[in-house]
Structures are given as structure tokens and as C-alpha cells.
Amino acid sequence: MKTAACTVAKGRPREFDVEDALTAALRIFWTKGYEGASLTDLTEAMGITRPSLYAAFGNKESLFCKALELYEREKMCYIGRALEAPTARGVAEALLRGALERQRDTSDPKGCMGVINSVACGAEAESIREEVLKRGEAAKRAIVERFERAKAEDDLPPHADPEGLTSYIIALIQGIALQGGAGTSCADLERLVQTSLSMWPAR
């Protein structure tokens, strides 16, 4: 367990769990976005003081980047697993069902942290937006490469466009997150997944 010391009354040090504090920060950024999350929101949720936040995580931007890494590691890990599916359609189904399972999880906020923060428009958030988009581009490239391999292996028809299919899947993943955040039922999202898979190009 990784811990860090924070200062309390009369200078007595108290240790706090860094991972627990980071998880709390993630929920705030996920719910409110980078711009909407104030330092007061963050420190209250994390149970630490501002000096302790700066000492353990750096500034707000650095804290966000660490929270984003945690989000990708724990909440978006289904993407890496999906790419290991033996067929392109299997990859697509694993990606869509992974996104659907994220919306079924009642312990986490709804919606997609990446989408929420990629549309940030304030000057303060521009570097955050760029970081989120850069990470999203890396995930997109990995999916494109997987579909390109599928096409080379004759697992996709000759007319299939790996980049187009990737954009289609990403749009669906983001749509599932946005609709889930807006209150769409999992049954309706399941129908979206089924309909989308029925339109997958056959060999």
C-alpha cells in the first residue's frame, strides 16, 4: 500500500493512502470534468489538504493526468483485451460489450471521462484536452492496426476500410457512454450493440 504524509493540526504527520486519494480524485474529474472540478472539490473528496495534494501529486493538471492513467488502467482495460480476440468481428463485439459493461457498473459515474474532458474549451483546460485527445489517438491507432491485420489475414472483405471501421466503433463506444450518462437503459444499449454487430461487414 502506497502512502504519503500530510500535515494536520500542531504539525503532527498523518499518512493517507495515495491510491485511495487518487481514486477519489478520479471520481471528481469523471463527474465534473477538469474545469468543473475545483481544488476544494478535490481535497474534500480526497480527504487531504491543498499542501498535501501538491506534495503528493503536484498541481491540478498533474493530478488529472495521474487520475486519467488510473482510469485507463482500471476502467478502459477492456480495450487491450478486446484486441486479442481472434477475429475482427470478435474485436468489435468485445469493444462494444466492454463499453456496455462500463455503463452497467453502478459503482462508477456514468459517461466517459475521455469524452467529458475532450470537449473542454477553456484556456486552462487546453493542455488537458490535448492530452486526452493524444491518448485517444493512441487507442484508435491500435484498433486500426488490428483491423488492418484482420484484412491482411482475409478476416475482413477486400472492400473493408480499417480506419472507417475503427471510427465507426469508436463513435459507438462514445455513443454508449453518452447515452448511458443521459439515462438510457442497458436494455436499449444492448439493442444498439446487437444492431451494430448485425451490420458488421461479412467476408
Side-chain angles (χ1 to χ4, degrees):
M1 178 182 294
K2 187 177 180 182
T3 60
C6 67
T7 302
V8 294
K10 299 181 181 179
R12 289 182 290 107
R14 181 182 68 190
E15 289 192 337
F16 66 91
D17 186 272
V18 173
E19 292 302 315
D20 286 348
L22 187 58
T23 298
L26 168 59
R27 292 184 67 86
I28 295 297
F29 284 129
W30 193 343
T31 303
K32 298 190 173 187
Y34 180 80
E35 291 178 299
S38 69
L39 285 173
T40 298
D41 293 330
L42 292 164
T43 53
E44 287 182 352
M46 298 165 76
I48 61 177
T49 63
R50 289 193 186 192
S52 297
L53 185 154
Y54 295 137
F57 301 102
N59 57 20
K60 179 183 175 183
E61 182 176 339
S62 176
L63 174 62
F64 176 86
C65 289
K66 290 181 172 65
L68 184 59
E69 289 171 0
L70 178 63
Y71 175 79
E72 291 182 336
R73 186 168 65 249
E74 292 191 352
K75 311 302 180 181
M76 304 300 288
C77 57
Y78 71 86
I79 294 178
R81 292 195 299 267
L83 297 179
E84 298 174 0
T87 65
R89 188 184 188 283
V91 170
E93 180 168 8
L95 287 170
L96 295 179
R97 295 206 172 281
L100 178 56
E101 286 307 307
R102 293 286 344 118
Q103 301 311 306
R104 291 188 196 276
D105 189 343
T106 58
S107 65
D108 286 328
K110 297 296 183 182
C112 174
M113 183 174 168
V115 172
I116 291 168
N117 289 282
S118 66
V119 296
C121 55
E124 177 194 10
E126 183 57 32
S127 62
I128 292 300
R129 179 176 179 276
E130 290 175 358
E131 178 66 20
V132 171
L133 292 175
K134 181 178 72 174
R135 289 171 182 265
E137 188 60 32
K140 178 180 178 180
R141 176 47 48 188
I143 300 171
V144 169
E145 290 175 355
R146 178 62 184 86
F147 288 158
E148 286 176 341
R149 177 162 66 86
K151 186 172 181 178
E153 294 171 349
D154 198 30
D155 182 38
L156 284 170
H159 68 272
D161 175 8
E163 292 214 19
L165 289 173
T166 299
S167 295
Y168 171 64
I169 290 296
I170 290 175
L172 288 169
I173 291 172
Q174 293 176 342
I176 288 170
L178 289 171
Q179 290 188 44
T184 301
S185 70
C186 286
D188 284 341
L189 294 177
E190 172 68 33
R191 281 193 287 273
L192 171 62
V193 170
Q194 292 284 12
T195 300
S196 301
L197 290 173
S198 72
M199 299 168 66
W200 191 256
R203 285 183 295 176

